[in-house]
Amino acid sequence: MREVTVSRAVDASAAAVSAWLEPETIVEAEGSFTVDHVEDADDEDATLVVASGPGMQLPLRFEDREGAIYYTQEGERGPFSHMETWIELEEERAGTVVTIRSSVSLAAPLPFGDRIAAWKRTGELNRALEELEAAFS
């Protein structure tokens, strides 16, 4: 398993950034999957986003955990054997610093598979931050 972290300052308040960070917006902004549908999870504090990509569907479970947005791949379907992500906001005088941290492990038994998964995940997280930054430019 590998962990990756990306961070960016956004010229907006934490409240505005938080409002933009809806589960389906996050998935679309990452750029690898499109949102197929959104549903409430079994418990009331979570949202399940079913995303689709080339030849697969990926269920993602979103929750609020201690002020951070937390999401993970739900079940066995998807490219990862493990994937969880935290998005944290820190309001500063000139805007908000958004930090995204993700742990990934590739489901396929490839040499250096976790490194490949971390590289791909870093690209997805950077795309999400670029989309977020563009929304407030």
Side-chain angles (χ1 to χ4, degrees):
M1 185 169 349
R2 296 281 177 157
E3 186 170 297
V4 297
T5 302
V6 297
S7 187
R8 187 160 308 178
V10 177
D11 188 20
S13 69
V17 170
S18 182
W20 187 89
L21 289 169
E22 290 294 321
E24 52 271 37
T25 305
I26 294 166
V27 172
E28 294 283 349
E30 287 180 3
S32 292
F33 297 95
T34 57
V35 174
D36 188 45
H37 65 276
V38 178
E39 56 191 59
D40 291 331
D42 292 337
D43 57 8
E44 296 176 14
D45 295 336
T47 300
L48 191 65
V49 174
V50 178
S52 60
M56 73 175 69
Q57 280 195 323
L58 174 67
L60 298 167
R61 178 186 177 88
F62 283 79
E63 304 172 21
D64 181 34
R65 288 201 178 169
E66 299 174 12
I69 296 169
Y70 171 79
Y71 60 105
T72 187
Q73 177 180 300
E74 184 98 329
E76 300 294 318
R77 300 180 310 177
F80 304 113
S81 61
H82 174 87
M83 189 282 293
E84 58 185 342
T85 303
W86 299 263
I87 301 176
E88 299 173 319
L89 308 178
E90 184 178 339
E91 191 153 21
E92 295 190 349
R93 196 174 307 175
T96 303
V97 175
V98 181
T99 301
I100 310 176
R101 181 171 42 100
S102 191
S103 296
V104 293
S105 183
L106 194 62
L110 298 173
F112 308 109
D114 288 353
R115 287 185 187 180
I116 294 167
W119 170 78
K120 178 149 177 40
R121 192 72 183 129
T122 300
E124 292 170 340
L125 301 180
N126 278 320
R127 277 192 300 275
L129 287 177
E130 288 167 8
E131 290 289 321
L132 173 62
E133 189 174 43
F136 292 100
S137 299

